[in-house]
């Protein structure tokens, strides 16, 4: 066989291998890009613990289990945690990494609330030792792929949450508590309100808007560091529109799971304040925001144009949920 024939066979073999590699990565990429939906992906350790707590009525168990479940889902869903991937197909994907970031922000906010409010009876009381170790680990950089990897930090955080959960359900351990009070829930909802408000504004900017600057509205003597124009032109860059959309999808998905858990842990408080209907309305709006996306891409039509605008639809659901959260916080503040 001549040298040219050997060279041609080598190139054909290399081309075949490359083609198979690309096909496998494309199929894996499509599979890994599916959102979890209603299903949680749990570690084996979490599954064992949760089976033992299946019928537990202890206050705080549902919220803690759900926080662990959402964190586990980020780590153990198909493809694992993709935000810090540096090899194909994870490095090519951007929708699910943005989804992960949105969900991670909600995990960080709730873990902070667990450490500062839900587990403490008063502002001067001692914080829980395990929650104090879990919260900073969730705040580790989500793009770090080594020394240490993001996954390592988040797995350690869930381990500390599980230790807190073990003590919470232990009748012989009184050092772990979860206080289902109206003020605790209201404080966490204030953070949720600001998150959803920001997402709604970023989603609405997909078509570009001229907004009146209201930064100093409502207070006569208010001031700010540097001057700002009276009107602002706000528009999300074209390449970032789907990033913001999937971040909102991940954030609302995680928030939906947390609110469902709190509907159980805070049932007595909500009933007393006649606020359970308001919470269920928020849940309904967030469920609508998780409807399947039938389009192969995120469409960015103008507000009243012929094409849909997925960002504006998502912004509508989030805005309605946010308005209901404001009403819920108002109800919880009443005696």
């Amino acid at each position: 066989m001549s040298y040219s024939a050997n060279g041609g066979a080598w190139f054909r073999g290399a081309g075949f291998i490359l083609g198979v590699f690309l096909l496998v990565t494309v199929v894996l990429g499509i599979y890994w890009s599916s959102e979890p939906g209603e299903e949680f992906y749990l570690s084996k350790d979490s599954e064992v613990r949760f089976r033992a707590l299946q019928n537990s009525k202890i206050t705080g168990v549902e919220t803690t289990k759900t926080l662990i479940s959402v964190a586990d889902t980020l780590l153990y869903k198909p493809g694992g945690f993709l935000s810090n991937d540096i090899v194909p197909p994870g490095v090519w994907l951007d929708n699910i990494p943005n989804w992960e970031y949105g969900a991670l922000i909600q995990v960080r906010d709730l873990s902070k609330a667990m450490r500062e409010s839900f587990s403490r009876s008063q502002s001067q009381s001692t914080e829980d030792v395990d929650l104090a170790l879990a919260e900073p680990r969730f705040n580790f950089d989500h793009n770090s792929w080594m020394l240490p990897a993001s996954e390592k930090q988040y797995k350690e955080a869930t381990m500390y949450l599980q230790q807190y959960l073990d003590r919470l359900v232990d009748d012989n351990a009184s050092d772990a508590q979860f206080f289902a009070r109206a003020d605790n829930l209201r404080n966490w909802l204030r953070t949720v309100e600001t998150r959803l408000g920001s997402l709604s504004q970023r989603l609405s900017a997909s078509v570009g808007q001229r907004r009146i600057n209201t930064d100093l509205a409502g207070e006569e003597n208010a001031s700010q560091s540097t001057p700002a124009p009276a009107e602002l032109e706000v528009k999300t860059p074209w390449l970032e529109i789907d990033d913001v959309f999937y971040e909102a999808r991940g954030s609302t998905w995680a928030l939906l799971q947390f609110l469902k858990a709190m509907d159980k842990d805070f049932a007595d408080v909500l009933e007393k304040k006649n606020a359970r209907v308001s919470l269920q309305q928020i849940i309904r709006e967030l469920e609508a925001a998780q409807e399947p996306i039938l389009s192969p891409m995120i469409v960015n039509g103008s507000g009243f144009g012929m094409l849909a605008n997925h960002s504006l639809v998502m912004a509508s659901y989030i805005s309605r949920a946010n308005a209901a959260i404001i009403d819920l916080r108002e109800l919880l503040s009443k005696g």
Side-chain angles (χ1 to χ4, degrees):
M1 185 178 289
S2 67
Y3 176 78
S4 59
N6 284 331
W10 186 91
F11 278 115
R12 284 193 299 272
F16 176 76
I17 293 173
L18 179 61
V20 171
F21 171 76
L22 292 175
L23 178 61
V24 170
T25 54
V26 167
V27 172
L28 270 180
I30 294 173
Y31 176 56
W32 289 0
S33 294
S34 59
E35 299 172 46
E38 297 182 0
E39 183 179 2
F40 286 134
Y41 294 88
L42 303 176
S43 67
K44 292 183 179 179
D45 194 19
S46 297
E47 288 180 349
V48 171
R49 278 181 163 89
F50 291 177
R51 277 197 296 269
L53 298 173
Q54 191 169 5
N55 299 315
S56 177
K57 302 295 183 182
I58 297 175
T59 301
V61 166
E62 286 299 324
T63 300
T64 309
K65 281 172 55 180
T66 303
L67 178 55
I68 295 172
S69 298
V70 171
D72 272 1
T73 299
L74 291 176
L75 297 171
Y76 299 106
K77 60 180 174 52
F81 190 71
L82 300 177
S83 295
N84 60 350
D85 277 14
I86 60 172
V87 295
V91 70
W92 298 337
L93 305 177
D94 66 341
N95 291 342
I96 285 298
N98 282 291
W99 184 95
E100 291 172 345
Y101 181 69
L104 180 60
I105 290 297
Q106 293 293 343
V107 168
R108 289 171 175 174
D109 288 344
L110 181 54
S111 65
K112 185 174 188 289
M114 293 273 289
R115 176 184 182 181
E116 295 182 352
S117 297
F118 294 142
S119 64
R120 302 171 68 187
S121 59
Q122 302 175 24
S123 61
Q124 300 300 315
S125 58
T126 305
E127 63 184 8
D128 186 272
V129 291
D130 286 319
L131 295 179
L133 292 169
E135 189 253 342
R137 283 166 172 77
F138 279 129
N139 284 277
F140 186 75
D141 180 15
H142 68 292
N143 289 317
S144 177
W145 64 279
M146 66 178 301
L147 299 178
S150 303
E151 292 94 332
K152 181 177 184 296
Q153 295 294 299
Y154 302 154
K155 287 177 182 178
E156 288 182 1
T158 57
M159 178 193 69
Y160 288 119
L161 285 176
Q162 288 168 345
Q163 290 179 181
Y164 164 76
L165 181 60
D166 290 341
R167 291 187 293 113
L168 191 64
V169 299
D170 187 353
D171 294 335
N172 297 319
S174 60
D175 58 335
Q177 296 291 340
F178 185 100
F179 298 97
R181 299 197 312 259
D183 60 332
N184 287 346
L185 180 56
R186 192 172 66 248
N187 290 340
W188 173 68
L189 287 173
R190 183 185 295 114
T191 301
V192 172
E193 182 185 325
T194 60
R195 295 292 188 195
L196 294 186
S198 176
L199 285 174
S200 177
Q201 290 294 319
R202 292 167 63 201
L203 288 163
S204 298
S206 63
V207 295
Q209 293 180 331
R210 289 198 64 82
R211 297 177 183 168
I212 296 176
N213 190 336
T214 59
D215 292 347
L216 300 180
E219 188 170 338
E220 182 179 358
N221 297 319
S223 62
Q224 62 186 53
S225 301
T226 56
E231 288 192 7
L232 305 172
E233 180 71 32
V234 182
K235 184 175 176 60
T236 304
W238 183 73
L239 291 176
E240 297 179 11
I241 288 172
D242 62 334
D243 296 344
V244 176
F245 178 85
Y246 277 99
E247 181 184 336
R249 288 274 287 193
S251 185
T252 52
W253 175 83
L255 179 59
L256 174 61
Q257 315 311 319
F258 296 153
L259 289 174
K260 286 180 177 179
M262 291 186 186
D263 186 32
K264 299 176 182 177
D265 281 332
F266 288 83
D268 293 340
V269 173
L270 294 168
E271 291 291 349
K272 181 179 179 181
K273 299 285 186 177
N274 199 25
R276 196 163 195 178
V277 174
S278 296
L279 178 60
Q280 290 171 347
Q281 181 60 36
I282 299 168
I283 291 173
R284 180 170 296 183
E285 297 293 352
L286 295 177
E287 285 175 338
Q290 295 300 309
E291 288 292 322
I293 303 170
L294 301 180
S295 171
M297 61 182 295
I298 302 305
V299 183
N300 191 49
S302 60
F304 292 98
M306 296 182 64
L307 295 177
N309 187 303
H310 291 131
S311 296
L312 292 184
V313 173
M314 177 66 77
S316 175
Y317 287 126
I318 289 178
S319 295
R320 293 206 294 269
N322 205 20
I325 286 175
I326 295 172
D327 292 340
L328 176 57
R329 288 187 59 240
E330 180 68 21
L331 286 173
L332 291 172
S333 67
K334 296 178 179 179

